[in-house]
Amino acid sequence: MTTPHAEQATNVLPHEPEKATLEGRNKVLGFWLFLGGEAVLFGTLFATFLTLRNQVADGPSASELFSLPITAAATFILLISSLTSVFAVQALHRGNRSSLAKWLGITVLLGLAFLVLEIYEFSEYMHEGYSMTTSAFSSAFYTLVGFHGAHVLFGILWISVIIGQLYKKGLTVVTAPKVYVSAMYWHFIDVVWVFIFTVVYLLGKVVG
């Protein structure tokens, strides 16, 4: 007969549960390869933007257009969300499902706040008549920043689904890799935004 102590021991997750099974390790490795492809894709968009950044036609230049307080606030929010995803992974390694779900939920809320600011920024530009077809610069800008925003939205939906799976299926060696790779993805889009904020906004204000 199984004692309560023995039953509890069987529910304890192994160290680094995301890599405890071959399937989990393959998911992590495969996701690193996926992120490599994403890095190449964003690198292409950055190169296109830098090539077209001075092709403003009759539209405003970057220094005239951008509002740094809004983007700085969005950057701060996204960096904080990266920290909360770190706390989520720490909760994962402790096997604490409730804490894990809490930190993932906070990450989702911060991601939504970032998107709200980005949509507000775009709406302000549109209100001023600065659309995607205004110039080559505007096309490159909206493509790069909008593509990143789409990645943030995907990350929000993905993490939200994982939270639901944690409550439905529990924290196991099957759900743990999903949490881990979603955190990897979130860190990736945070790093990409740091480059966007530096190359697009800060550089645009200085030399735009």
Side-chain angles (χ1 to χ4, degrees), residues 29-51:
L29 176 60
F31 202 75
W32 274 115
L33 297 176
F34 167 76
L35 290 184
E38 286 284 283
V40 172
L41 181 56
F42 272 105
T44 302
L45 293 176
F46 273 109
T48 302
F49 174 82
L50 290 173
T51 301

Side-chain angles (χ1 to χ4, degrees), residues 11-206:
N11 293 328
V12 176
L13 290 175
H15 178 64
E16 294 188 338
E18 71 277 4
K19 301 176 184 177
T21 64
L22 178 60
E23 181 182 0
R25 291 192 293 272
N26 286 339
K27 283 181 179 179
V28 174
L29 176 60
F31 202 75
W32 274 115
L33 297 176
F34 167 76
L35 290 184
E38 286 284 283
V40 172
L41 181 56
F42 272 105
T44 302
L45 293 176
F46 273 109
T48 302
F49 174 82
L50 290 173
T51 301
L52 301 176
R53 61 184 303 273
N54 293 319
Q55 308 300 317
V56 297
D58 295 329
S61 64
S63 60
E64 298 170 330
L65 180 69
F66 294 148
S67 174
L68 286 185
I70 294 177
T71 51
T75 302
F76 177 76
I77 289 172
L78 205 58
L79 290 177
I80 293 297
S81 75
S82 188
L83 180 61
T84 58
S85 67
V86 169
F87 293 155
V89 172
Q90 291 176 344
L92 165 67
H93 289 159
R94 294 195 305 270
N96 190 329
R97 184 182 68 173
S98 61
S99 180
L100 169 59
K102 177 190 72 174
W103 287 116
L104 288 178
I106 294 173
T107 301
V108 166
L109 292 177
L110 291 171
L112 286 171
F114 171 85
L115 279 184
V116 167
L117 287 178
E118 187 167 279
I119 292 171
Y120 173 77
E121 177 194 15
F122 280 10
S123 66
E124 286 293 300
Y125 297 160
M126 293 290 187
H127 181 71
E128 295 173 8
Y130 188 74
S131 69
M132 190 168 185
T133 59
T134 299
S135 64
F137 165 70
S138 67
S139 297
F141 166 74
Y142 280 116
T143 300
L144 173 58
V145 180
F147 192 65
H148 174 269
H151 277 68
V152 173
L153 177 60
F154 174 78
I156 289 171
L157 297 175
W158 183 13
I159 295 174
S160 298
V161 170
I162 290 175
I163 294 173
Q165 290 182 344
L166 287 173
Y167 282 109
K168 182 178 180 180
K169 301 179 180 179
L171 180 53
T172 67
V173 293
V174 176
T175 55
K178 299 177 182 179
V179 173
Y180 189 78
V181 297
S182 70
M184 289 171 56
Y185 177 84
W186 197 258
H187 289 311
F188 173 76
I189 59 178
D190 287 351
V191 170
V192 170
W193 177 256
V194 170
F195 278 99
I196 290 176
F197 181 66
T198 303
V199 173
V200 176
Y201 292 95
L202 293 182
L203 188 61
K205 274 294 189 181
V206 173

